[in-house]
Amino acid sequence: MKLTYGIILPLYILSMPVMANSFIDDSQGSLMSRNYYFDREYTDPQKIGRAKDWTQGFILNLKSGYTEGKVGLGLDLQALTAIKIIGDSDYIASGLIPTDKITRERADTASELGITGKIKFEDSELKIGTVMPFNPIISSSRSRLLPQTFRGTLFESKDIDNIELYAGYIDKVNHRDSTNYETMSITTSNGRFNAAQADNLSFLGSKYSPSKDTQYSLYYGIIDDLYAQAAFTFNNTYMLTENTRLLSDLRFWNSNEHGRALAGKIDNTLLTGNFGFNYNNHLLTLSTMQNFGDTAHPYLSGGEVQLFVEGWGVDFLNPKEKVYSIRYDYNFQDYVPGLRAAIRYIKGTNIDLPQLGGNNLKEDSKAFELQYNFQQSYLKGLSFRTRYMTSDNNFAKNTTFKPANETRINIDYTWKF
């Protein structure tokens, strides 16, 4: 099945009534200015280099309302622009801006336009075109200058009380440092799977919220001829006192090869648990991830998995890996409103990578984060965020994830209109 978006969208736009009050009156827009500095220095003895870039990005989102009638039609536009401030070919690409794979030359500027048609009936909505899914099966990555986008169709329904239904079909991806749609592929980090591509991805999902403090979700997806994946999540907040909460976040994935199994054998069950204790401005979170089965957890190239335990340059998803993490967050709202800080430590053991050094390998990551959202009315929408991370492992030198020290700095400003 191939979606002929080049035909559908122009016909869709021409079919809209010229005069539609709700279409105009309910429209909204935003423009985000994002300044992003990225510096990852690899620390292994081979001195393979450094990934370093400084860029400026602009993300314009224009969302229409819907035309009048039982079935409403709408249109969303997204314009993305990346501008190089500093980007030296002596450094490895950072993923912030398009880079020539051979010469390492950065593009001076790069822009793209996304168009999404939408159809609404009661509390159900269908989107066609540029989409940004965010669920346990496929997630649009926002971890660089510009977001990762996809080409496809998404369906969402909230017509049933306390239940949300989702479905999607995706056939192309536009990566964070690209302006072109490409075929999706599986992540092959650390030689986990064969390099292989998928013509399409489809998924079904649902969320059930029996109360405002509890939510369950269930998803199932097929990445054509690569793997099939089921995912279950559970979130709960329990109030001990007015100022004290217990937080629970449990997630489960089961993945196996699908169809022609172009990526090779896939056999993984991933269990994650995050347990938080929140008292006033303090939040302490203990987490674990357990990988079972013969292979690593599969996911699509250029993105991430929806995990609480995330290590930026390290994914902690190797075969048989056992992961433990502690994180502490503090909100300075009583002293400096808008200021937050976090510190964390992640340890992975029992890693099975015979081709990279053995079957009892280990890795770890330490990180610190400071974020400030300006509260003054004339600076509302301006935020500053800095992150510093160190990672280490005892893998062989040809590993994908190498020991490194990393700094990221973001300055974001969002105008809403």
Side-chain angles (χ1 to χ4, degrees):
M1 175 181 177
K2 297 288 186 182
L3 296 179
T4 55
Y5 299 101
I7 297 174
I8 292 175
L9 285 175
L11 292 177
Y12 168 84
I13 295 169
L14 290 173
S15 70
M16 290 183 175
V18 177
M19 296 300 292
N21 291 336
S22 297
F23 181 84
I24 301 297
D25 294 344
D26 294 340
S27 63
Q28 54 185 302
S30 67
L31 174 62
M32 171 185 280
S33 167
R34 165 165 287 180
N35 192 277
Y36 202 127
Y37 174 77
F38 182 104
D39 186 355
R40 178 184 293 164
E41 182 177 12
Y42 295 99
T43 57
D44 65 47
Q46 285 186 321
K47 300 293 184 184
I48 66 164
R50 190 171 186 169
K52 185 178 179 181
D53 282 308
W54 184 19
T55 54
Q56 173 65 47
F58 295 97
I59 303 172
L60 174 66
N61 284 298
L62 300 175
K63 299 178 182 294
S64 78
Y66 292 91
T67 58
E68 302 289 350
K70 191 77 172 177
V71 177
L73 305 179
L75 184 69
D76 294 345
L77 299 176
Q78 183 184 66
L80 307 175
T81 296
I83 302 170
K84 179 183 72 175
I85 299 176
I86 295 178
D88 195 318
S89 60
D90 289 340
Y91 295 122
I92 301 169
S94 66
L96 295 185
I97 197 166
T99 302
D100 188 283
K101 294 181 179 179
I102 298 176
T103 66
R104 294 186 181 178
E105 289 292 335
R106 274 55 160 178
D108 291 328
T109 62
S111 298
E112 60 188 90
L113 177 66
I115 303 175
T116 308
K118 53 188 182 181
I119 305 172
K120 187 176 180 64
F121 176 73
E122 294 184 349
D123 279 338
S124 296
E125 184 180 56
L126 179 69
K127 293 184 176 181
I128 304 172
T130 297
V131 293
M132 296 173 61
F134 194 72
N135 62 63
I137 302 299
I138 176 172
S139 292
S140 170
S141 173
R142 279 86 158 173
S143 66
R144 291 296 194 274
L145 180 72
L146 302 178
Q148 181 189 46
T149 61
F150 294 87
R151 191 181 75 175
T153 300
L154 296 182
F155 172 78
E156 176 181 339
S157 176
K158 299 180 180 179
D159 285 313
I160 305 173
D161 289 345
N162 303 325
I163 294 178
E164 300 175 24
L165 301 176
Y166 301 91
Y169 177 89
I170 306 294
D171 71 348
K172 293 290 183 180
V173 60
N174 192 335
H175 289 299
R176 302 166 300 191
D177 57 350
S178 172
T179 59
N180 302 311
Y181 279 112
E182 305 170 22
T183 303
M184 295 176 290
S185 60
I186 193 170
T187 296
T188 59
S189 303
N190 290 347
R192 299 165 181 171
F193 306 110
N194 301 329
Q197 297 181 328
D199 286 336
N200 61 77
L201 176 156
S202 55
F203 70 86
L204 295 171
S206 65
K207 290 181 182 178
Y208 172 55
S209 304
S211 72
K212 65 179 181 63
D213 296 322
T214 304
Q215 184 181 83
Y216 304 84
S217 79
L218 181 64
Y219 284 83
Y220 183 77
I222 293 176
I223 294 78
D224 190 43
D225 284 329
L226 297 186
Y227 62 93
Q229 191 171 77
F232 170 80
T233 71
F234 168 75
N235 292 276
N236 186 69
T237 300
Y238 181 76
M239 300 299 297
L240 288 175
T241 68
E242 183 180 354
N243 299 319
T244 307
R245 300 182 300 164
L246 293 179
L247 310 174
S248 300
D249 181 337
L250 306 177
R251 308 181 193 187
F252 164 90
W253 285 265
N254 182 257
S255 308
N256 298 98
E257 64 265 23
H258 171 265
R260 292 183 291 164
L262 299 178
K265 180 178 181 179
I266 294 179
D267 172 34
N268 179 271
T269 296
L270 174 64
L271 298 175
T272 76
N274 310 298
F275 306 96
F277 178 78
N278 180 205
Y279 173 70
N280 287 336
N281 300 336
H282 306 269
L283 175 60
L284 178 67
T285 306
L286 303 178
S287 305
T288 184
M289 294 200 314
Q290 306 287 312
N291 284 274
F292 302 96
D294 295 331
T295 71
H297 176 81
Y299 61 98
L300 294 175
S301 177
E304 299 96 21
V305 184
Q306 282 191 356
L307 299 171
F308 185 85
V309 179
E310 52 90 15
W312 308 342
V314 187
D315 65 5
F316 294 98
L317 294 171
N318 295 291
K320 304 186 186 306
E321 185 165 10
K322 313 297 181 187
V323 182
Y324 303 92
S325 170
I326 182 170
R327 172 170 172 155
Y328 173 70
D329 292 72
Y330 185 76
N331 188 335
F332 291 85
Q333 61 185 1
D334 294 336
Y335 312 100
V336 185
L339 181 64
R340 296 173 179 267
I343 187 170
R344 71 168 185 223
Y345 175 71
I346 308 172
K347 177 78 171 182
T349 62
N350 196 53
I351 299 169
D352 184 27
L353 291 172
Q355 77 280 15
L356 291 177
N359 56 12
N360 192 24
L361 302 177
K362 59 184 180 180
E363 60 182 344
D364 64 36
S365 173
K366 309 177 190 70
F368 172 76
E369 177 178 323
L370 189 68
Q371 181 172 347
Y372 180 62
N373 295 311
F374 287 82
Q375 305 296 298
Q376 298 87 341
S377 58
Y378 57 92
L379 291 176
K380 207 76 171 178
L382 178 62
S383 66
F384 171 84
R385 185 183 186 190
T386 182
R387 291 167 286 175
Y388 179 75
M389 180 271 296
T390 66
S391 63
D392 196 10
N393 62 56
N394 63 348
F395 302 169
K397 301 305 179 185
N398 58 333
T399 181
T400 302
F401 299 120
K402 302 178 185 297
N405 300 325
E406 182 176 316
T407 300
R408 302 187 189 191
I409 300 175
N410 293 102
I411 301 176
D412 296 344
Y413 193 94
T414 301
W415 293 268
K416 295 183 178 181
F417 46 89

